[in-house]
Amino acid sequence: NQNLPFCNLTVRTDGVHIDTMPTSSTSSTASASISSIKWSIDSISYGVQDLVYTRVFAMIVVKDEHIKNEHPFEVHAFVCDSRAMARRLTYALAASFQEYSRRVKEAEETNNNTIDSPLKRKFAIDLRTPEELQQTEHETEA
């Protein structure tokens, strides 16, 4: 029994920016303020328009600080004004991913693959089950 807030979602080359707009039905000033959330492009794993509910745009964000956590991902879904808007968000995010990839390759070439590059990610998420991890502990490199 709660109304979802209206958001202004902007996709930029550096990431996704969301401004939650105040609703006219809220009377308290605390909930009427605009709040902002920003996710850098390197923390977004995936973004797509839903194939069934075509007005829905969804994306997966990797939570850096909780990599060791059982659930390092967040899924965010947005109901857009139109299916064309959801499609445009998907294309804009794809273009941002391409631009980020270009910047990473460029930085690797200029920095000769140094670890200090701010564009390099320093984590990997292992999706193997505990049983699979245990099996690999007993294997040796040949």
Side-chain angles (χ1 to χ4, degrees), residues 61-131:
V61 177
V62 180
K63 299 183 291 187
D64 251 350
E65 64 276 1
H66 302 293
I67 292 301
K68 301 283 186 203
N69 195 352
E70 185 178 337
H71 305 288
F73 305 108
E74 292 178 344
V75 177
H76 299 273
F78 305 90
V79 179
C80 300
D81 292 334
S82 67
R83 64 180 171 188
M85 179 60 70
R87 187 178 313 117
R88 284 195 297 266
L89 286 170
T90 302
Y91 288 148
L93 188 59
S96 294
F97 285 150
Q98 286 180 335
E99 174 62 19
Y100 176 71
S101 176
R102 185 195 63 76
R103 288 191 324 236
V104 167
K105 287 177 186 172
E106 189 176 274
E108 286 177 349
E109 290 171 1
T110 58
N111 295 335
N112 293 328
N113 296 329
T114 59
I115 295 178
D116 295 335
S117 173
L119 295 174
K120 283 198 169 201
R121 300 298 292 163
K122 295 179 181 161
F123 69 90
I125 297 173
D126 198 338
L127 298 176
R128 294 177 288 180
T129 64
E131 293 80 21

Side-chain angles (χ1 to χ4, degrees), residues 14-77:
D14 65 337
V16 174
H17 305 263
I18 299 171
D19 294 316
T20 304
M21 305 309 213
T23 59
S24 59
S25 63
T26 58
S27 58
S28 72
T29 56
S31 61
S33 63
I34 295 177
S35 64
S36 294
I37 302 171
K38 296 178 183 178
W39 291 291
S40 64
I41 193 68
D42 62 342
S43 69
I44 301 169
S45 172
Y46 187 72
V48 70
Q49 176 185 22
D50 192 284
L51 295 176
V52 176
Y53 301 101
T54 55
R55 287 180 49 205
V56 173
F57 170 77
M59 65 182 192
I60 298 172
V61 177
V62 180
K63 299 183 291 187
D64 251 350
E65 64 276 1
H66 302 293
I67 292 301
K68 301 283 186 203
N69 195 352
E70 185 178 337
H71 305 288
F73 305 108
E74 292 178 344
V75 177
H76 299 273

